[in-house]
Each structure stands twice: as structure tokens, then as C-alpha cells.
Amino acid sequence: MNYNLQLLKEVLSVPTKTYKEDRMVEYLTTWLTENNIEFFVDAYKNVYATKTDNIVKDENFFYPCVVSHTDTVHEINEIFIQESELPNAQDELKSSLFALDGNGKPTGIGGDDKCGVFACLTLLKELPNLKAAFFVSEETGCHGSLKANTGFFANVGYAIQFDAPENWMVTEKCFGQVLFDRDSDFFKVCDKVLTESMNQNFMEYMVHPYTDVYALRKSFDFSCINFSIGYYNYHTRNEYVVIEDVYNGIEIGKKMIELLGYNLHYKEKKDNSKNYSLWD
């Protein structure tokens, strides 16, 4: 489990805030161009990427799709990445990253959800057939994903988002949307990977406030899941990222895709969000 630490630092160094995602969008489009990955940007500045090989794709072929959001809650600042030993959720000291501004003061590193952005880029680089969606303005209500491009998702079989803190959380219900059925092959595969890869004394299926897979479940007939990607103290100036937890989140996503394959993991769409408060 050895991923590109320099790329992680680069992504975390990009300043971005809700409604001010231009620099992150520019970073993504440059990276995708340099890596010869097909993409387009919609009118809302959502970025959609498709990595494909030359295998024959018929009506029974469905892409896995990985998901992250390009905004953070932090003000636009210069970001200087620092390394330190900081505690994970199990209170073990681990190699970690945090951020200082131009005045040497702590500033939010924006692991929520730049760690997710890094995870999506890493899997685009490694896997032969994959879609990735990078949505704007999640932090104030999933504005980008609620306007998701329907054509892009027409041949998506399931979605995996990397947007939960620490290293033990799995989203089962999000803003009223049940993301998957427990009696499905999708759940059986994902649960197997999660139980083998997360600390069993801590892993928990949870009800979370919104993230982008809530919006996708509201609009499309495929199963979704969201889980931890290694950021801590999120939405604060003392936010930090545990490198091992980021890498493990990527490994979990990769194993899920390898086992779920290029299939449609159907779940009927249902809009329950109007019946729930922010915290369900």
C-alpha cells in the first residue's frame, strides 16, 4: 500500500472554498490532460472523467464511479503542507500532514474533501475502466451533485464516495437516502471488504448528513457507499490528515471495485430527503 505522497501533498496545497473552486478545477483539468484521461466540465464547474481501455463494452457493461467534492469550508489562503506524528482514531501516533498559512499560523488543510479528490485521481491512474465525478459546492448543500449530468451516469453501475472523517465510518443512510440494500450483493461485497480492512472494534455503519452520494441516490437507480478517508478535526484550522488512513481508504475502494466489477448494482431511486432534518 504505497501511493503517491507527493500528489497527495499537491492536492492538499490547492486552495479551494465553496463557490471558489476555480483553482481546484484548473488543477484537475490539467492533471487529467497530462494523464490522457477523457473529461469534461459542465456549466456548474463539476468535472467528469472517464478512463477506459479497449475491451468491448456492450449494454451489460457498467462503469464503477468514484466521487469526491472540490470545495472546502476554509478561506482561500496560501497552504504550506507540514509533516508530523499525530494520533489516529485509535490514539496511535501516525505520519500525518497539516497546514500553515503564509504567516506560519495553522490553517485548514481541507482534507474534507481533498483527500477524496486524491483518492479518485489515484484510482483513475491505477484502474483500466473507471468514471470519476468531482462535484462543486457540497459543503452548503450538494449544489453540484444535485445538478449531476444524467448522460454521464447513464452507464454507471454503482458509486463510491470518499468523504467521511477518520478511519472507521461507513455511511448507510444520508439525509434520508438509504444508499444500499442490506440484502444485496453490493452490500455483501462492500461489507466483506470493510470488515477485512477496517478495525473491527471501531467500524460502524452510520446515519450522516448530506454528501454527494445522497444526491446521486436521489436521482439514479444504482447503489452507493461512502466511507472514511483519513481527515481529522475537519472544518477547523487544526484539521490534519493521517496518511495511512488515506491510503487504506483508497485500498478499500480499489478492492470493492475489483469484486463488484462492471455490473449494475441496482437500487430503486426514492426521494425521502424532504422527510428528514439535517441530522436525520
Side-chain angles (χ1 to χ4, degrees):
M1 192 169 61
N2 185 21
Y3 294 111
N4 189 338
L5 180 58
Q6 183 55 40
L7 179 61
L8 175 59
K9 290 179 178 179
E10 280 185 14
V11 173
L12 291 170
S13 297
V14 179
T16 181
K17 179 178 169 63
T18 307
Y19 312 128
K20 298 178 181 178
E21 298 98 342
D22 300 73
R23 275 177 272 197
M24 181 58 79
V25 171
E26 181 181 4
Y27 180 87
L28 288 172
T29 57
T30 299
W31 187 92
L32 292 166
T33 299
E34 290 174 348
N35 285 275
N36 299 311
I37 295 172
E38 178 185 345
F39 71 91
F40 68 93
V41 183
D42 70 12
Y44 310 105
K45 299 182 182 177
N46 297 316
V47 180
Y48 302 92
T50 303
K51 169 85 171 289
T52 187
D53 65 10
N54 294 321
I55 69 169
V56 176
K57 299 173 178 62
D58 57 21
E59 67 275 7
N60 297 314
F61 180 95
F62 292 88
Y63 283 93
C65 184
V66 290
V67 179
S68 60
H69 64 85
T70 55
D71 62 324
T72 77
V73 303
H74 304 292
E75 296 300 328
I76 299 295
N77 272 323
E78 286 186 287
I79 298 174
F80 297 94
I81 303 300
Q82 311 293 311
E83 298 188 31
S84 184
E85 297 286 311
L86 294 167
N88 65 7
Q90 293 73 43
D91 209 29
E92 302 163 329
L93 290 179
K94 297 288 184 178
S95 295
S96 303
L97 305 173
F98 67 98
L100 300 178
D101 64 17
N103 297 314
K105 296 181 179 179
T107 188
I109 196 169
D112 176 12
D113 189 30
K114 289 188 271 187
C115 288
V117 171
F118 169 71
C120 292
L121 295 182
T122 299
L123 291 174
L124 279 170
K125 189 77 172 175
E126 292 211 351
L127 299 180
N129 295 284
L130 185 67
K131 287 195 170 191
F134 304 87
F135 290 115
V136 296
S137 306
E138 182 268 356
E139 295 288 2
T140 55
C142 297
H143 300 294
S145 50
L146 284 169
K147 299 179 177 69
N149 183 282
T150 55
F152 179 82
F153 287 98
N155 59 354
V156 164
Y158 53 93
I160 297 171
Q161 182 153 15
F162 304 93
D163 188 28
E166 303 192 7
N167 62 8
W168 55 275
M169 300 185 194
V170 186
T171 308
E172 182 167 5
K173 184 185 288 186
C174 190
F175 203 44
Q177 292 291 336
V178 178
L179 299 183
F180 50 81
D181 292 324
R182 282 199 170 229
D183 61 353
S184 66
D185 289 339
F186 180 84
F187 173 73
K188 292 173 185 175
V189 168
C190 292
D191 185 63
K192 179 179 186 294
V193 174
L194 289 163
T195 53
E196 289 174 352
S197 304
M198 284 187 172
N199 188 315
Q200 288 310 289
N201 294 321
F202 291 86
M203 189 189 89
E204 185 175 348
Y205 287 95
M206 303 183 71
V207 175
H208 281 141
Y210 55 74
T211 192
D212 298 298
V213 284
Y214 137 73
L216 296 182
R217 279 293 310 120
K218 183 177 177 180
S219 301
F220 303 107
D221 284 329
F222 51 74
S223 298
C224 301
I225 197 165
N226 175 58
F227 48 82
S228 292
I229 194 64
Y231 56 79
Y232 289 72
N233 294 344
Y234 68 103
H235 294 188
T236 74
R237 69 181 61 188
N238 296 314
E239 182 183 12
Y240 63 93
V241 168
V242 173
I243 298 168
E244 179 182 289
D245 291 346
V246 178
Y247 290 179
N248 192 49
I250 296 170
E251 197 70 12
I252 289 170
K254 185 177 178 181
K255 289 177 181 176
M256 285 180 179
I257 291 167
E258 289 171 350
L259 294 173
L260 292 167
Y262 304 125
N263 302 300
L264 174 60
H265 290 272
Y266 177 81
K267 178 166 173 50
E268 182 182 5
K269 65 182 178 182
K270 187 175 182 181
D271 183 6
N272 292 322
S273 55
K274 61 182 177 295
N275 299 322
Y276 291 80
S277 69
L278 177 62
W279 290 96
D280 196 26

